[in-house]
Amino acid sequence: MKKLFTIFFISLFIFSCDSDSNPMSPSLCDESIEIELWGECYNIETTNLDLNNSGLTGEIPSEIGNLINLTSLLLYNNQLTGEIPSEIGNLTNLDYLNLRDNQLTGEIPSSIGNLTNLFFLNLSNNQFTGEIPSEICNQGDTPYVGNNKLCPPYPSCISQSDIDSQDTSNCP
């Protein structure tokens, strides 16, 4: 009987911790101090989120905008899809944002202009479309946006090499 109880308890623990196995299970995060991203809990006081080369898939959750203490967000070299959520503009303490080498699509949100503390922004090697919002120039350094599908006119802060690397075949 004790062995049966142990097996039951372990099975219950495994299934309750795996949100993909049980979509009806509530979040395991303490919602007053934690945010759930990609099935993991992150404290709202987190300042550095380094998930590069982590095999992440799907969209960037809009809840990422609740981690307002972030100074560094590294999500490069994953399989992220969809658009950058506009809530990224809530991360006004960010000084480093790297989303390169994913499969992100859609337009770059103008809310990225809220990130006035950025000294590094890399959105290269994705599938962004549309025009680059002029607000992207609100940062202190030249943003990297090469190898996307972005259309002219380009803001003055975009380098010529990034302009030359755009696939403009679908631009008007």
Side-chain angles (χ1 to χ4, degrees), residues 80-93:
L80 296 172
T81 57
E83 299 183 7
I84 297 173
S86 61
E87 291 82 358
I88 201 94
N90 297 343
L91 306 178
T92 57
N93 291 315

Side-chain angles (χ1 to χ4, degrees), residues 69-84:
N69 292 302
L70 281 181
T71 58
S72 180
L73 178 56
L74 307 164
L75 299 176
Y76 61 90
N77 289 333
N78 283 295
Q79 299 296 315
L80 296 172
T81 57
E83 299 183 7
I84 297 173

Side-chain angles (χ1 to χ4, degrees), residues 83-166:
E83 299 183 7
I84 297 173
S86 61
E87 291 82 358
I88 201 94
N90 297 343
L91 306 178
T92 57
N93 291 315
L94 272 185
D95 56 22
Y96 197 94
L97 175 59
N98 195 336
L99 302 177
R100 72 175 168 82
D101 296 313
N102 280 288
Q103 298 169 18
L104 296 169
T105 58
E107 296 187 4
I108 298 169
S110 60
S111 64
I112 211 155
N114 297 345
L115 309 179
T116 56
N117 289 314
L118 279 183
F119 68 84
F120 184 86
L121 173 62
N122 194 335
L123 305 176
S124 298
N125 302 319
N126 280 288
Q127 298 174 32
F128 292 117
T129 56
E131 293 182 12
I132 302 170
S134 61
E135 292 87 352
I136 202 168
C137 295
N138 292 352
Q139 288 77 42
D141 204 359
T142 302
Y144 297 96
V145 295
N147 296 313
N148 281 291
K149 299 177 180 183
L150 296 162
C151 297
Y154 299 107
S156 60
C157 64
I158 303 302
S159 73
Q160 189 62 47
S161 62
D162 278 1
I163 292 171
D164 293 342
S165 70
Q166 300 302 319

Side-chain angles (χ1 to χ4, degrees), residues 9-23:
F9 179 77
I10 290 172
S11 297
L12 181 64
F13 179 76
I14 289 171
F15 286 111
S16 69
C17 289
D18 185 356
S19 61
D20 292 336
S21 297
N22 187 357

